[in-house]
Amino acid sequence: MRWIHAVTPQRAGLVHTIAGMTRRLYWQDAYQRQFEANILQRTTYKGSPALILDQTAFYPTSGGQPHDTGMLNGVPVLDVIEQDDGAVLHITAAPVEGESVHGEVDWARRFDHMQQHSGQHVLSQAFVRVAGLDTVAVHIGDEACTIDLPTANLSAELVERVEAEANAIVWEDRPIRTYTVGEAEAAALPLRRPPKVRGAIRIVEVGAYDWSACGGTHVRSTAQIGLIKIIRAEKRGSETRITFRCGKRALADYAQVHRVVARLMDSLNAPRYQVDQAVQRLLDERDRTYKALQDAQTRLARCEAAAMLEGALEGNKGRLLVRLLEDRTPDDLRRLARALCEQDEVIAVLGIAGENSCLVFARSAQVEIDMAAQLRQMLLELFPNGGVKGGGSPTFAQSGGFSVTPEQMGRALEATAHRLFTLLR
C-alpha cells in the first residue's frame, strides 16, 4: 500500500524491540489521556525546543494518521515525530522545565482521529468485499480523509452499496481489538494486505471483518465510529479518490448541509426533497434568459455595425473601420467585430484602452489580409520589447489583458489604419 506520509517499519504498525525506543502508551490503551514520563533528551527541531521521553501517550504522525497535540507540564505540544531509532520527538511551544513531565493529550483531537482511522479500516474492507477493490493509499487529515482505489470506473450505485455495507458493520457494534503476533500467526490471518517486513506485527482486528497491520489508535468498537459518510468520489488518472468523514465529522458535515438546504428551501419556497428540482428550474430559466440576452446583444451589435460602417474608409479592395471605443468589454468588441464582418469586404480593427486593454482584428471572407499578422505588427509597435502576445486566424485575431493609455492606443491604431488602408487601395 502507498501511504501519504513516509513510513518506517514502526510506522507501518510493526512492533520491534529497539534499544532506546520510547515506550508507546497508546499501543496499550488508546484511551489514556494523561501520563507521567522522564525526560531522556532535550534537543531542538527546526529552531523549536523538543523532548524525547522514556514513554509517551502522544501519537506521532505516521501511517496516514496525524500526530496528537496537548500539553507537557502545561507547555503546548505542537508536533510529534517518530525518529528512525524508534524514539518519539515532542516539539513544544517553549522549553519544558524539570526532569520529568506530566502529559495531557488533546482528547477531542485524539478521539476524532480514532473515529476516522477505525472508520477507514471498515470502509477499506467494505470496498474489498463489495467492489473487489484494495486501498492503495490512505490520508487522515485534520479536515478531509481519503482513500485511493485502483480504478477510474466507480459508479455512484456501487459507492452507495459500499457505504451501506460499512455502516451496517458500524451498527453491529463489533469489537475492535489490537494484539501482536509473530510471522507464522500473521500468515494465518486474512490480512487485507501482507506485512512488508519481518518480525512481530501489531494487528488491528475489526470483529471478524477486517484484519490489518497497523500502529494507529482506534476506538474500542465499531459503534464508536458513529457513522461513515462518503462525501465524494473523484477520478484521478487511473485511480479514484474517496473522500469520507466519520463520527463527529460526519455529523458536522450533515449539519452544515442541512443549514444550506434549509436556506435554499426558504429562498426557493420548495419542499425539502424537491430543492434540486427547484434549482434545476432556475438553471433552465437562466439558460433561456442568457440565450435571449445573447440574441438581443447580437441584434444590437448588427444595428451598431450598420451605423458605424457609414463612416468606414472606402478602398478599392474593401472598407476599413478602425475605432478606439470606451466603456466596452472584450466581449463587446468581439461581438461587434463579428457583426461588422458579416458585411462584404470589411476590415474591422477595434480597441479599448486602460488596465484591461483589448484589441480585435477581423475581416470579411472576401478580403485577403492576414489579421493575425497585422495584430502582431501592432503589438510590436506598442511593445517593442515584446511580452504581449496575440492569437487567432487570418480572419479573426485578438489580444488582451495588457495596459496602455488611450493616447498610446490611439497612436498605434492610427498607424495601423494607415498601413491597412494602403493595402486596400
Side-chain angles (χ1 to χ4, degrees):
M1 180 181 291
R2 184 178 78 251
W3 297 99
I4 298 299
H5 300 283
V7 295
T8 64
Q10 294 78 25
R11 293 170 182 170
L14 303 171
V15 182
H16 289 248
T17 302
I18 301 176
M21 181 178 180
T22 303
R23 183 178 175 222
R24 317 298 179 88
L25 298 175
Y26 54 80
W27 278 345
Q28 281 72 50
D29 183 5
Y31 286 77
Q32 182 173 345
R33 309 181 192 189
Q34 301 185 34
F35 67 98
E36 309 293 329
N38 296 315
I39 297 175
L40 297 181
Q41 182 180 346
R42 297 178 185 273
T43 183
T44 60
Y45 181 82
K46 295 183 178 180
S48 296
L51 299 174
I52 295 176
L53 310 176
D54 63 343
Q55 62 180 8
T56 186
F58 284 91
Y59 183 82
T61 298
S62 57
Q65 179 178 330
H67 63 86
D68 288 329
T69 59
M71 298 284 186
L72 288 174
N73 286 354
V75 178
V77 175
L78 305 178
D79 198 356
V80 187
I81 299 173
E82 184 176 25
Q83 298 187 310
D84 290 339
D85 62 359
V88 177
L89 194 64
H90 303 74
I91 294 87
T92 56
V96 177
E97 302 295 331
E99 298 302 317
S100 61
V101 295
H102 172 75
E104 298 181 16
V105 174
D106 182 337
W107 178 245
R109 178 181 170 92
R110 159 69 71 81
F111 189 70
D112 170 59
H113 292 163
M114 291 163 63
Q115 284 188 313
Q116 310 312 311
H117 203 161
S118 297
Q120 176 265 307
H121 279 219
V122 173
L123 186 60
S124 288
Q125 183 62 247
F127 269 106
V128 172
R129 298 201 180 206
V130 175
L133 294 170
D134 292 319
T135 293
V136 297
V138 173
H139 174 65
I140 300 172
D142 290 335
E143 294 184 4
C145 296
T146 63
I147 60 175
D148 291 350
L149 305 171
T151 180
N153 300 306
L154 197 60
S155 69
E157 184 272 337
L158 186 57
V159 171
E160 289 179 0
R161 285 172 50 202
V162 170
E163 183 181 81
E165 161 89 3
N167 282 291
I169 299 301
V170 169
W171 301 331
E172 289 175 6
D173 193 19
R174 299 194 183 200
I176 298 178
R177 299 192 304 125
T178 62
Y179 48 88
T180 302
V181 300
E183 291 183 53
E185 294 173 282
L189 293 174
L191 295 178
R192 185 160 25 91
R193 64 184 185 92
K196 294 184 178 180
V197 297
R198 307 184 65 173
I201 302 170
R202 183 175 186 263
I203 301 297
V204 175
E205 178 187 340
V206 179
Y209 186 73
D210 180 71
W211 291 259
S212 298
C214 177
T217 57
H218 292 270
V219 295
R220 290 174 177 150
S221 72
T222 59
Q224 292 188 348
I225 297 171
L227 174 69
I228 299 174
K229 181 59 187 171
I230 295 175
I231 304 300
R232 182 178 8 172
E234 177 187 8
K235 292 182 181 179
R236 299 173 67 90
S238 61
E239 298 178 349
T240 296
R241 173 159 293 178
I242 299 294
T243 301
F244 66 96
R245 290 185 173 93
C246 300
K248 188 176 180 180
R249 289 194 196 185
L251 177 61
D253 181 79
Y254 176 80
Q256 183 174 353
V257 170
H258 174 76
R259 287 191 293 271
V260 171
V261 171
R263 289 196 297 269
L264 286 172
M265 289 168 59
D266 290 341
S267 299
L268 301 173
N269 192 27
R272 180 180 183 85
Y273 298 114
Q274 295 178 20
V275 167
D276 59 334
Q277 299 172 32
V279 170
Q280 188 59 53
R281 286 194 295 271
L282 282 178
L283 292 175
D284 293 342
E285 183 179 346
R286 180 207 61 183
D287 292 342
R288 289 192 297 270
T289 301
Y290 180 75
K291 185 179 184 304
L293 176 61
Q294 292 291 98
D295 292 343
Q297 288 176 328
T298 298
R299 290 194 297 270
L300 179 61
R302 285 171 177 161
C303 292
E304 187 176 2
M308 291 176 68
L309 281 174
E310 293 180 2
L313 296 174
E314 296 279 352
N316 293 328
K317 299 177 182 178
R319 293 174 289 176
L320 173 64
L321 185 73
V322 179
R323 291 288 187 273
L324 174 59
L325 303 176
E326 297 180 355
D327 300 324
R328 299 298 181 97
T329 68
D331 281 342
D332 293 337
L333 261 61
R334 287 187 283 268
R335 190 179 298 109
L336 185 55
R338 290 190 176 96
L340 286 164
C341 294
E342 287 177 354
Q343 304 299 314
D344 292 339
E345 299 181 332
V346 172
I347 291 179
V349 177
L350 306 177
I352 52 176
E355 292 298 320
N356 188 26
S357 297
C358 179
L359 279 169
V360 174
F361 280 57
R363 67 166 171 84
S364 305
Q366 301 83 3
V367 181
E368 295 183 357
I369 298 177
D370 189 332
M371 293 293 99
Q374 293 297 323
L375 172 63
R376 288 193 295 270
Q377 187 167 348
M378 180 173 169
L379 288 174
L380 284 175
E381 292 169 357
L382 275 171
F383 304 100
N385 295 325
V388 176
K389 296 181 179 180
S393 67
T395 59
F396 192 97
Q398 59 186 322
S399 178
F402 55 90
S403 176
V404 295
T405 66
E407 292 76 14
Q408 291 172 314
M409 181 70 83
R411 288 194 296 269
L413 285 173
E414 186 177 350
T416 298
H418 184 270
R419 183 172 61 254
L420 286 171
F421 191 65
T422 299
L423 296 175
L424 290 176
R425 287 179 179 172

